[in-house]
Each structure stands twice: as C-alpha cells, then as structure tokens.
Amino acid sequence: MRTVIGNWKMQLTIAEAEQLAKDVAAALPKRLTDVRVVVCPSYAALAPVRDALGGSPVVLGAQDLCHEEKGAYTGEVSGRELADIGVKFVLIGHSERRSHVHEDEALIHAKVQRAFKNKMTPVLCVGETRDELDKGLRDVVVERQVRAAFEKLELPARCEMIVAYEPVWVIGSGTDVDPEDAARSHYIIRETLRDIFTPETADRRCRVIYGGSVDKGNIAGFLSRPVIDGVLVGGASLSAPEFTAIVEAARTADAKG
Ligand code: PEP
C-alpha cells in the first residue's frame, strides 16, 4: 500500500489548518484500504486538526519532536505529548531543519529512537543539496544520512520506518526531477536499509517515499516506479483539491517496473 504524506510546514493559521483538514476529509472516501494518507500540521494545529479530521481515515503526523523524553528543554515538544495528541507519524531530519536549525546526524538519530519509544513511525528525510549533486556526491550523502540515522538503533518488536528521499534542490522549486533518477536513489536507500537491518527486516518494515515538488501532474511518473512506495508533498498539500487528486493517483497508479 502506498503512503501519501502532506507537510503543511508553518504555512497556515490554526483556522486555515482546520478548514484544510475538513476539506481533505470531505473529499476522500470514509474508508481507505488502498492508500495511507497522513497530514503533518504545525505543533499548535495538531489537536485542532485531529478534531477536524473527525472519523476520517486521514492520520495525524508531526513535523518534528524533541530528542529527549522530558525535562528542561524550553520550546521543545516531547514524543509523549505528541503521542497523547494522537500523532502516529513524525517527520525527522527535514532539510529545512538540517539547514535552518543545524540539526546534525547524532540529533536526528536520537529523534528516530525517541519516535520509536513513543510508538510513532519516523519519517526520516534525506537528500543531497545542489552543490553535493554537482560534485557527484548524491549517493554518498544519501547513504551516509540513512546509516547515521538508523545504524545502532534499538528496534522495538513491531515498528515501521519510512525514508523520504527529498533532493534538497528540488523542494519547493517546482523543478521536475526525472523519476528514473529518483528511483536510482530509492534503490540505494533500500539496499542500505537491507544492509543495516537484514533484507527481510528492511523489506518488511521500511518504506521509501519520494518528496520534492510533487503535484497531481507529475505523481504518476514517480509511482510507476516500484521502488517508490509513496510521496511526501509540501506545497501541493496545502490545496485540498490538489492533495486529494494526488491521493487518488496513488490509489490507482500502476507500478510498471
Ligand atoms: C517538503 O518540504 O517536504 C516538500 C516535499 O516540499 P515541496 O513538495 O513543496 O517541494
């Protein structure tokens, strides 16, 4: 089953986030058995969005969490608070956090571990910058980021991990990436996960999704690649008709190999 995640970033007021949640819920079927849909509002909008989603199959995600369980961490939000609100998925290591607040790989690793401790699915974001791409470092960077986040983790008995491959230079740019290029990075990520966790564990527990200027016009190209298990959507997730068209495409897309 494919996964579609909307990252609303810090783009909306609480009232706007509630309205978007209602519009998305109203436009989707009451039961979804062929796709998983997650929306990630900002912290302040999490509980209002949860309530606005009502009984819809859309699942609540957060954009970050604190690496510590509790304590003197002014301004942070803990995994247990997020779990209390009903958050099931959490973005970790988004490129905007790696660059704007200098999150490093040790911190990102600790956040992944914290997500597991609170029974949430981490959505680890990885991807190369334009400079790294130009220097031919794409594969090295992506493999390093996946290893740093996932090696030496204590895995709970039942858990799932998602890696979102997001080329940093594509995010928010409207630039179209060749789905074949994206698929190559997905292949490297999957092989790295199989090496870290064993092939059986990685294939059972890990999903690899694509993010970067996905919209209803280009999604079919990504989802036609069997190594791409879904999408992480920024800008296009802020419009209910655009986002639900992406969800619809994910329900019907055919992986061609
Ligand atoms: C993102 O920021 O995770 C993202 C994928 O953004 P956009 O779709 O706007 O490129």
Side-chain angles (χ1 to χ4, degrees), residues 7 9 94 96 166 170-173 211-214 232-236:
N7 175 9
K9 309 195 183 190
H94 191 281
E96 286 152 16
E166 299 207 297
V170 181
I171 291 176
S173 69
S213 295
V214 171
L232 175 53
V233 187

Side-chain angles (χ1 to χ4, degrees), residues 2-257:
R2 295 198 173 86
T3 305
V4 176
I5 305 179
N7 175 9
W8 295 355
K9 309 195 183 190
M10 198 180 70
Q11 303 284 18
L12 304 171
T13 63
I14 292 178
E16 288 167 343
E18 286 177 305
Q19 190 58 52
L20 179 56
K22 283 184 189 153
D23 293 345
V24 167
L28 293 175
K30 297 276 164 285
R31 270 189 83 230
L32 279 175
T33 50
D34 44 9
V35 67
R36 274 192 312 190
V37 183
V38 182
V39 294
C40 303
S42 64
Y43 285 144
L46 279 169
V49 165
R50 173 201 59 201
D51 297 343
L53 287 171
S56 106
V58 178
V59 179
L60 199 60
Q63 298 174 18
D64 190 28
L65 84 171
C66 182
H67 63 294
E68 292 289 351
E69 188 69 355
K70 65 174 285 201
Y73 294 94
T74 303
E76 295 282 358
V77 176
S78 69
R80 58 188 192 152
E81 288 174 283
L82 298 179
D84 276 352
I85 292 171
V87 167
K88 305 286 184 220
F89 292 77
V90 58
L91 305 183
I92 296 177
H94 191 281
S95 62
E96 286 152 16
R97 298 203 59 82
R98 290 182 196 253
S99 67
H100 300 333
V101 293
H102 308 293
E103 288 199 357
D104 64 18
E105 287 175 345
L107 182 68
I108 289 166
H109 176 91
K111 288 186 176 195
V112 171
Q113 190 69 74
R114 189 59 55 199
F116 283 140
K117 291 244 153 66
N118 287 283
K119 300 191 169 45
M120 288 181 280
T121 297
V123 182
L124 173 75
C125 302
V126 302
E128 78 286 354
T129 61
R130 179 80 233 189
D131 187 47
E132 288 162 341
L133 177 73
D134 292 344
K135 288 182 177 143
L137 294 173
R138 178 181 55 194
D139 300 354
V140 178
V141 167
V142 165
E143 178 173 348
R144 191 196 66 226
Q145 290 176 338
V146 172
R147 286 194 183 280
F150 287 144
E151 277 179 345
K152 304 194 182 78
L153 274 180
E154 282 171 48
L155 281 194
R158 304 176 75 128
C159 67
E160 183 198 11
M161 288 150 271
I162 298 180
V163 178
Y165 170 60
E166 299 207 297
V168 178
W169 49 281
V170 181
I171 291 176
S173 69
T175 306
D176 262 349
V177 159
D178 182 348
E180 203 45 47
D181 272 348
R184 246 194 311 275
S185 295
H186 279 241
Y187 177 77
I188 285 166
I189 291 168
R190 181 146 292 283
E191 285 309 303
T192 305
L193 292 167
R194 297 178 105 217
D195 186 57
I196 296 171
F197 295 120
T198 78
E200 299 70 35
T201 304
D203 291 350
R204 204 171 62 246
R205 297 189 181 189
C206 304
R207 300 285 159 263
V208 187
I209 65 176
Y210 174 76
S213 295
V214 171
D215 58 32
K216 67 177 186 223
N218 63 19
I219 185 173
F222 295 110
L223 294 185
S224 67
R225 298 336 196 247
V227 285
I228 300 184
D229 298 318
V231 286
L232 175 53
V233 187
S237 71
L238 297 171
S239 148
E242 178 83 22
F243 187 62
T244 51
I246 290 170
V247 172
E248 208 45 50
R251 296 179 69 196
T252 52
D254 231 357
K256 293 188 197 70

